[in-house]
């Protein structure tokens, strides 16, 4: 990228101090231990993340949003207690995450 090259033209590699150690991360994937607590849900990258290249993150975010909406609607309609509806949300969402992971 020309702009980045121009911006970094005078840069030099740090070879001393706390930033001198080169670090490489090969595993970007993660999933939080819980996707909900009373009154709150995690969806998208806040809940879990698989890779930076493919569109699996978009799929997981949309899937999580649909499942979250379904769970919230179920609770608001009085069909299931919050704990049961959100446990179901997490179970379905985590299963979808593990398929991609």
């Amino acid at each position: 990228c020309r702009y980045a090259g121009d911006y970094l033209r005078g840069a030099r590699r740090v070879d001393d101090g706390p930033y001198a150690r080169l670090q490489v991360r090969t595993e970007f994937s993660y999933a939080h231990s819980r996707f909900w607590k009373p009154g709150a849900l995690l969806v998208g990258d806040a809940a879990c993340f698989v890779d930076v290249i493919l569109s699996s993150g978009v799929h997981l975010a949309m899937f999580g949003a649909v499942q979250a909406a379904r769970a919230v609607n179920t609770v608001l309609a009085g069909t299931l207690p919050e704990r049961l509806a959100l446990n179901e949300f997490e179970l379905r969402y985590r299963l979808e995450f593990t398929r991609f992971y």
Side-chain angles (χ1 to χ4, degrees):
C1 173
R2 188 184 106 223
Y3 298 110
D6 290 345
Y7 183 72
L8 296 172
R9 191 166 320 284
R12 66 174 181 82
R13 182 173 178 196
V14 176
D15 54 12
D16 63 338
Y19 300 108
R21 199 175 92 229
L22 182 62
Q23 296 178 350
V24 176
R25 181 169 177 120
T26 58
E27 176 59 72
F28 295 101
S29 302
Y30 65 83
H32 282 276
S33 57
R34 292 300 310 259
F35 291 173
W36 74 274
K37 66 179 189 175
L41 298 152
L42 295 177
V43 296
D45 290 352
C48 56
F49 183 77
V50 177
D51 66 51
V52 296
I53 304 297
L54 303 174
S55 60
S56 56
V58 174
H59 168 75
L60 285 172
M62 298 302 292
F63 182 85
V66 168
Q67 295 302 316
R70 180 176 172 261
V72 169
N73 285 339
T74 299
V75 172
L76 293 177
T79 309
L80 286 175
E82 180 183 50
R83 183 181 55 77
L84 291 176
L86 298 185
N87 278 340
E88 179 72 17
F89 152 77
E90 182 166 330
L91 178 75
R92 290 173 183 269
Y93 197 7
R94 196 169 294 281
L95 179 61
E96 194 70 7
F97 168 77
T98 58
R99 286 183 180 135
F100 282 92
Y101 185 73

